[in-house]
Amino acid sequence: MPDYLVPVEDLQAVLFDVLHAPAQLAELPAHADTDEALMRQMLDEMGKFVSGQIAPLNRIGDEVGAQWKDGAVTMAPGFRDAYQAFWQGGWAAVSAAPEDGGQGLPAVLDAALYESLSAANHGWTMAPGLLHGAYECLKHHGSDALKAEYLEKIATGEWLATMCLTEPHAGSDLGLASTKAVPQADGSYLISGTKIFISGGEHDLTDNIVHLVLAREPGAPAGPKGLSLFLVPKFYADGSRSAVACERIEEKMGLHGSPTCVMRFDEARGWIVGAPGKGLNAMFVMMNAARLHVALQGVGLLSAAWQKADAYAHERKQMRAPGAKDTSLLIDHPAMQRTLATQRAWLDAGRVLAYQTAIELDVAKHHPDAERRAQAERWCALTTPVLKSACTHQAFHGGSDCLQVFGGHGYVSEWGIEQHVRDARVAMIYEGTNEIQAIDLLVRKVLADGGTGLAALLDRVRAEAGEGPLGREAVRCADALQALTAQIVQASQGDATLPYWVADDYLRAAAIALMAWAGARIEASPAAARPGARAALDALAHWVLPEFDMRQTIIQRRLTPAQAA
Amino acid sequence: MPDYLVPVEDLQAVLFDVLHAPAQLAELPAHADTDEALMRQMLDEMGKFVSGQIAPLNRIGDEVGAQWKDGAVTMAPGFRDAYQAFWQGGWAAVSAAPEDGGQGLPAVLDAALYESLSAANHGWTMAPGLLHGAYECLKHHGSDALKAEYLEKIATGEWLATMCLTEPHAGSDLGLASTKAVPQADGSYLISGTKIFISGGEHDLTDNIVHLVLAREPGAPAGPKGLSLFLVPKFYADGSRSAVACERIEEKMGLHGSPTCVMRFDEARGWIVGAPGKGLNAMFVMMNAARLHVALQGVGLLSAAWQKADAYAHERKQMRAPGAKDTSLLIDHPAMQRTLATQRAWLDAGRVLAYQTAIELDVAKHHPDAERRAQAERWCALTTPVLKSACTHQAFHGGSDCLQVFGGHGYVSEWGIEQHVRDARVAMIYEGTNEIQAIDLLVRKVLADGGTGLAALLDRVRAEAGEGPLGREAVRCADALQALTAQIVQASQGDATLPYWVADDYLRAAAIALMAWAGARIEASPAAARPGARAALDALAHWVLPEFDMRQTIIQRRLTPAQAA
């Protein structure tokens, strides 16, 4: 089966026909000169690079994988050359600031790039996937000395970075982390401890690797407030190697192209990033950026699985379809049409929502109007956990539906579809499990202000829904979600654990409402006339949206337990 | 993490407390002497054997897997010894007739055995998994000469069997099969062709392997009616080897312990089983038995995943749960309780439904009352596709939820949970994809008699639902399913393709209704007082049953498209 081909025209249709991205960005002085022609050209070039140089390495990344030997990690054949071409071509620096060596392009172009890279080769893409977060973290929290030495190298991707958070007994619960940082007379620290699940902790893609490490000074308080962030490079400026070692890499369900490392810090010299005790704050800058990237991985992985399944369904003969006269193709069977149109619906709507959120990131940073900036911040805060959870859920479960199109051929490795499903599974876990996203959405975001931020977002959903059938569904879902939120706000006053019981269903309800909005945006645009788009919109209405009412029912049963059973 | 431990008391609770299996079987002269004491003893022994000898080989089956070299297949270390102990201990012959060398026990004990084996080691269990179907096929369709030579060997499991159906361009569509069978003067046939996806086509577990092969005589009509069934052994009675070769084994997503073989028949001598042109009929005897076995695999795989996740959630520390004062365990978090209780609900209810169906298999065969036999046949015909689809769906998607409990540790191989998810995926495909089960249920079973058979089954569901909350839900779902069925019957008269569009949702609705019945049976029994059972019943009502209404909505939107959107 051919490698992934970036569907450049689909991405362009979202940006230009559905979202009118150039007009939105024209309001931002920082991006006023990013016109449609420039964006189209960048996406065309991006498509060629990703389809031509990254996608062909996906299979070997799974089959050969990253190999550990005596502390060194050798990436799969071709990975290093592809990475060198990537950063030297400026692809690592798409949205970094020009003064740091970046291209200064809007975040939404970086979003299109990362969706495409993840679709083409999830394993390879893990390496540069953390760069932008590390860049933002260092730019906002690093000392001048650290920035002078590291910022441009990270902005351009010449050096890669890691996030060293998790420890064997501190996963989602970072407050338990016990890695130590002992201050030295010269202002540096000696870091000691073991970190696990470190993607790209060691590899041969770049000449240096910059670790951002969560650790605790002696005497610092227990729990999250005692954690500070430190920078420890693999190599110091004088060429000497730091006392950081990769002890082993994990055997995993998938993502074999990306080494998941156990890293030991053995009095490794490093420097603090940001204020003492504010390590989690500094890290969260990285994590929020990373969560949208993970959502884009979900969009990309579903795109890759859908592309394979759609091609297969159009070429594989299958018994006579209902109403047909002779042997048919798989695609002639209603069950297959349903699967493909439904997954296409999630793909199209997920992409619209993710790209708009990427645009809002820039609006929040650069818009001259403070109110519009605040609106954009609210949009990102509320949609990011929804996107992260819903898109990664769909990449795995919907990717599995795409595998099903192949029948028995889907289960064997030959066609490559099962790799997407294995690779996709991790995205439901990392950067905050999907259950944590649900709590983030409902408890930390929606309930924190009594639902007023959400109400404002839903006003916008209603205002932009248009008059089509999906628009009416979006309005219906928005109204129902707002009423449901008010009920939860009230019920939570008497029962503080209640939100934790309904958070998962609440996130799903919000996801369906936002997908309806995204579908309404497509419906009202010329993109609705593109091949397959209408069937996907119908599938969204018919097979996806009814989940909203189910979630509502489930939540209401919890709010008024007397109704239950 | 410890290997799977067969939850013998849970199985016994279903058989004795919920289903009163001894009383049901007492109505059958063939099983009148199978009393509770005998069944308990058999299950106790079974648990010891499976937990002690089969479960410990699960990991090595995945890691080392079956190995192909020069046409020979070596199974993972320990597999052959375990298999020899298995058949010599009489475990392969639990439900075969005593006159054929079997133990003549009720099918439901075989069901408990296969659920447990699949949970303990899905890969290993693939080998004996086809035995019973091959035995039934040969017993009912084989000539006296074939039976004399093969029936006892297969009944006892001394020799293993295969089903050679699929060809490279004939998967679900067996009518396209082109393997040739040329009749010889002595009444034998020479078989030539290539079959793929042959589980256990070659291995070193037994001294002989008996292939049942679908092929076409020269001049036979095209399509399914031209297919006959043939028996071709690996070795003939004189010790010579047949012209059957294993060309290679597939690389797969999981199930590495079971070799999935490409088998080449090169004028291999064989004999016809059953009448010419009736190959699919003979094969369907095997396939129906196999479908219930696959459903039991689903129950078993979910049980294995749930057992691991439940244990992990009770030992892993995690941040402070809502309302807690200090660091908590994973299980203290609502999202984890919900996941585990919901999967336990599917597990408990699926087991009750599957075991009752296994009892009905014997009732259909042995009950003195013809009407009761007909009722039992109807039960099996209608519930088997539902069970096959719903239990395998849950093993994969619910197994993935169990993996999620582990966070990042679930994605790495160390804890063994990701193997269950990879292994489980295939069960949604083989023995008829889950989409084919849905068509089987709605088109071939429910609509074939205008819904009267289903109505009779729903009468029984209502009669057995009891008065508890889940019983009322079961009645509600049964009523709604019956009304929905009547609508589909009517709408299909004007639109023959309509059932194919709603079949998947219809099967899910039927599955939820039957799970409600199963939950009601548990609720009304002493089993409801067992640890964790009440939480699972609550989860069934709260998080599982609302899917029924969603499916109903989706189907009705299709029936009256004007309502859509």
Side-chain angles (χ1 to χ4, degrees), chain B residues 340-394:
Chain B
L340 290 167
T342 303
Q343 299 317 317
R344 168 81 184 264
W346 276 103
L347 174 58
D348 287 359
R351 186 182 279 141
V352 165
L353 184 62
Y355 284 16
Q356 181 58 39
T357 300
I359 291 172
E360 300 290 333
L361 281 178
D362 274 328
V363 173
K365 251 194 227 169
H366 301 301
H367 203 283
D369 177 28
E371 199 174 318
R372 181 68 186 86
R373 288 202 303 276
Q375 186 201 39
E377 268 181 31
R378 198 164 53 223
W379 178 281
C380 295
L382 289 166
T383 63
T384 300
V386 172
L387 276 164
K388 193 278 178 184
S389 173
C391 296
T392 61
H393 178 97
Q394 207 59 30

Side-chain angles (χ1 to χ4, degrees), chain B residues 179-489:
Chain B
T179 293
K180 278 183 198 143
V182 180
Q184 304 299 302
D186 65 355
S188 70
Y189 290 78
L190 295 184
I191 316 288
S192 300
T194 298
K195 296 285 183 179
I196 63 169
F197 298 159
I198 309 307
S199 294
E202 181 57 47
H203 56 70
D204 59 2
L205 298 179
T206 52
D207 299 335
N208 202 359
I209 301 172
V210 180
H211 304 289
L212 292 167
V213 190
L214 219 44
R216 201 182 293 278
E217 288 189 54
K225 288 177 183 162
L227 291 168
S228 307
L229 189 65
F230 300 89
L231 182 155
V232 182
K234 179 176 172 183
F235 291 108
Y236 299 110
D238 64 4
S240 64
R241 181 145 186 182
S242 66
V244 181
C246 175
E247 286 200 327
R248 62 181 170 87
I249 63 178
E250 307 281 358
E251 297 292 326
K252 307 191 293 295
M253 185 180 195
L255 212 63
H256 298 151
S258 172
T260 302
C261 303
V262 176
M263 302 299 291
R264 201 185 64 237
F265 295 78
D266 197 8
E267 302 203 329
R269 186 173 302 276
W271 297 272
I272 197 163
V273 178
K278 298 286 185 189
L280 283 182
N281 294 35
M283 215 72 179
F284 278 138
V285 174
M286 295 178 70
M287 288 186 70
N288 277 325
R291 283 177 180 182
L292 181 57
H293 267 179
V294 175
L296 290 159
Q297 288 173 3
V299 175
L301 286 160
L302 183 60
S303 177
W306 182 87
Q307 190 175 94
K308 277 200 167 72
D310 188 61
Y312 188 78
H314 282 85
E315 73 185 41
R316 171 87 178 177
K317 280 190 191 159
Q318 187 58 282
M319 64 187 87
R320 202 159 53 85
K325 292 228 171 67
D326 209 341
T327 297
S328 308
L329 296 171
L330 262 182
I331 191 65
D332 300 320
H333 289 264
M336 298 296 103
Q337 286 185 37
R338 174 209 179 129
T339 295
L340 290 167
T342 303
Q343 299 317 317
R344 168 81 184 264
W346 276 103
L347 174 58
D348 287 359
R351 186 182 279 141
V352 165
L353 184 62
Y355 284 16
Q356 181 58 39
T357 300
I359 291 172
E360 300 290 333
L361 281 178
D362 274 328
V363 173
K365 251 194 227 169
H366 301 301
H367 203 283
D369 177 28
E371 199 174 318
R372 181 68 186 86
R373 288 202 303 276
Q375 186 201 39
E377 268 181 31
R378 198 164 53 223
W379 178 281
C380 295
L382 289 166
T383 63
T384 300
V386 172
L387 276 164
K388 193 278 178 184
S389 173
C391 296
T392 61
H393 178 97
Q394 207 59 30
F396 178 71
H397 293 283
S400 163
D401 288 355
C402 293
L403 183 157
Q404 187 78 0
V405 171
F406 288 76
H409 296 277
Y411 195 68
V412 301
S413 308
E414 186 182 349
W415 295 85
I417 183 90
E418 60 89 26
Q419 183 193 341
H420 294 306
V421 178
R422 283 186 291 108
D423 287 357
R425 184 61 184 84
V426 72
M428 295 167 70
I429 298 169
Y430 60 29
E431 303 305 337
T433 65
N434 285 1
E435 288 78 4
I436 287 178
Q437 305 298 325
I439 294 171
D440 181 52
L441 172 69
L442 181 57
V443 181
R444 295 193 206 120
K445 308 271 172 71
V446 172
L447 296 184
D449 66 4
T452 56
L454 179 87
L457 179 124
L458 294 175
D459 283 343
R460 183 168 161 194
V461 164
R462 280 183 283 254
E464 295 179 353
E467 300 292 324
L470 276 168
R472 291 196 297 275
E473 285 285 321
V475 170
R476 185 181 76 84
C477 291
D479 291 347
L481 188 63
Q482 196 161 341
L484 195 60
T485 306
Q487 288 178 279
I488 296 172
V489 167

Side-chain angles (χ1 to χ4, degrees), chain A residues 283-509:
Chain A
M283 215 70 178
F284 278 139
V285 173
M286 296 180 71
M287 289 187 69
N288 278 326
R291 283 178 181 183
L292 181 57
H293 266 180
V294 175
L296 290 160
Q297 289 173 3
V299 174
L301 286 160
L302 183 59
S303 178
W306 183 87
Q307 189 177 93
K308 277 200 169 69
D310 188 60
Y312 188 78
H314 281 85
E315 71 183 42
R316 171 86 178 178
K317 280 188 192 164
Q318 188 56 282
M319 67 186 85
R320 203 159 54 83
K325 291 227 170 69
D326 208 341
T327 298
S328 309
L329 296 172
L330 262 181
I331 192 64
D332 299 320
H333 289 265
M336 298 296 103
Q337 286 184 38
R338 175 210 179 126
T339 295
L340 290 167
T342 303
Q343 299 317 317
R344 168 82 184 264
W346 277 104
L347 174 58
D348 288 359
R351 185 181 282 140
V352 165
L353 183 62
Y355 285 15
Q356 181 59 39
T357 300
I359 291 172
E360 301 289 333
L361 282 178
D362 274 328
V363 172
K365 252 193 228 170
H366 300 300
H367 202 283
D369 177 29
E371 199 174 319
R372 181 67 186 88
R373 287 201 303 275
Q375 185 201 43
E377 266 180 33
R378 198 164 54 224
W379 178 281
C380 295
L382 289 166
T383 63
T384 299
V386 172
L387 274 164
K388 193 279 180 182
S389 174
C391 295
T392 61
H393 178 97
Q394 207 59 30
F396 177 70
H397 293 283
S400 164
D401 288 356
C402 293
L403 183 157
Q404 186 79 0
V405 171
F406 288 76
H409 296 277
Y411 195 67
V412 302
S413 307
E414 187 183 350
W415 295 84
I417 184 88
E418 60 89 26
Q419 184 194 340
H420 294 306
V421 178
R422 283 187 291 107
D423 286 357
R425 184 62 185 82
V426 72
M428 296 168 69
I429 299 169
Y430 59 29
E431 302 305 336
T433 67
N434 285 1
E435 289 79 4
I436 287 177
Q437 304 300 324
I439 293 170
D440 181 52
L441 173 69
L442 181 57
V443 180
R444 293 191 208 123
K445 308 272 173 73
V446 172
L447 296 183
D449 66 5
T452 56
L454 179 87
L457 179 123
L458 293 176
D459 282 342
R460 180 166 163 196
V461 163
R462 280 183 283 254
E464 295 179 352
E467 299 292 323
L470 277 166
R472 291 196 296 275
E473 285 284 322
V475 171
R476 185 180 76 82
C477 292
D479 291 346
L481 188 65
Q482 197 161 340
L484 195 60
T485 305
Q487 288 179 278
I488 296 172
V489 168
Q490 187 164 20
S492 303
Q493 286 163 3
D495 177 1
T497 67
L498 184 136
Y500 296 86
W501 285 103
V502 299
D504 293 301
D505 292 297
Y506 186 85
L507 183 142
R508 289 296 298 181

Side-chain angles (χ1 to χ4, degrees), chain A residues 50-346:
Chain A
V50 175
S51 301
Q53 300 205 42
I54 307 302
L57 299 174
N58 188 47
R59 190 65 173 271
I60 202 168
D62 187 55
E63 288 177 352
V64 176
Q67 306 276 351
W68 182 96
K69 196 180 170 197
D70 300 333
V73 174
T74 306
M75 298 292 271
F79 270 39
R80 182 181 158 92
D81 288 349
Y83 185 77
Q84 291 295 322
F86 176 77
W87 86 262
Q88 285 166 10
W91 297 109
V94 164
S95 65
E99 64 268 26
D100 302 322
Q103 301 199 38
L105 288 167
V108 71
L109 291 176
D110 206 45
L113 169 66
Y114 272 90
E115 177 208 311
S116 303
L117 286 171
S118 301
N121 193 331
H122 185 187
W124 182 92
T125 303
M126 290 297 290
L130 291 174
L131 267 179
H132 196 75
Y135 163 72
E136 293 279 347
C137 179
L138 200 59
K139 187 176 173 78
H140 290 102
H141 299 282
S143 67
D144 289 344
L146 281 181
K147 284 199 268 196
E149 190 167 348
Y150 295 99
L151 192 61
E152 185 175 331
K153 299 286 193 186
I154 288 177
T156 59
E158 182 175 351
W159 294 350
L160 281 164
T162 73
M163 272 165 81
C164 297
L165 288 73
T166 308
E167 299 182 9
H169 292 281
S172 298
D173 190 357
L174 292 173
L176 297 175
S178 65
T179 293
K180 277 184 198 145
V182 181
Q184 305 298 301
D186 65 356
S188 69
Y189 291 78
L190 295 184
I191 316 288
S192 301
T194 298
K195 295 285 181 176
I196 63 169
F197 299 160
I198 309 308
S199 294
E202 182 56 49
H203 56 71
D204 58 4
L205 298 180
T206 50
D207 299 336
N208 202 359
I209 301 172
V210 179
H211 304 289
L212 293 168
V213 190
L214 220 44
R216 199 181 295 278
E217 289 188 54
K225 286 175 187 167
L227 292 168
S228 306
L229 188 66
F230 300 88
L231 183 155
V232 182
K234 179 176 171 183
F235 292 107
Y236 299 110
D238 64 1
S240 65
R241 181 148 185 177
S242 67
V244 181
C246 175
E247 286 201 325
R248 62 180 170 88
I249 63 177
E250 307 282 357
E251 298 291 326
K252 308 191 293 295
M253 186 181 195
L255 212 63
H256 299 150
S258 172
T260 303
C261 303
V262 176
M263 302 299 293
R264 204 186 61 236
F265 294 79
D266 198 9
E267 301 201 330
R269 186 174 303 273
W271 297 272
I272 198 163
V273 178
K278 298 286 183 189
L280 283 182
N281 295 32
M283 215 70 178
F284 278 139
V285 173
M286 296 180 71
M287 289 187 69
N288 278 326
R291 283 178 181 183
L292 181 57
H293 266 180
V294 175
L296 290 160
Q297 289 173 3
V299 174
L301 286 160
L302 183 59
S303 178
W306 183 87
Q307 189 177 93
K308 277 200 169 69
D310 188 60
Y312 188 78
H314 281 85
E315 71 183 42
R316 171 86 178 178
K317 280 188 192 164
Q318 188 56 282
M319 67 186 85
R320 203 159 54 83
K325 291 227 170 69
D326 208 341
T327 298
S328 309
L329 296 172
L330 262 181
I331 192 64
D332 299 320
H333 289 265
M336 298 296 103
Q337 286 184 38
R338 175 210 179 126
T339 295
L340 290 167
T342 303
Q343 299 317 317
R344 168 82 184 264
W346 277 104

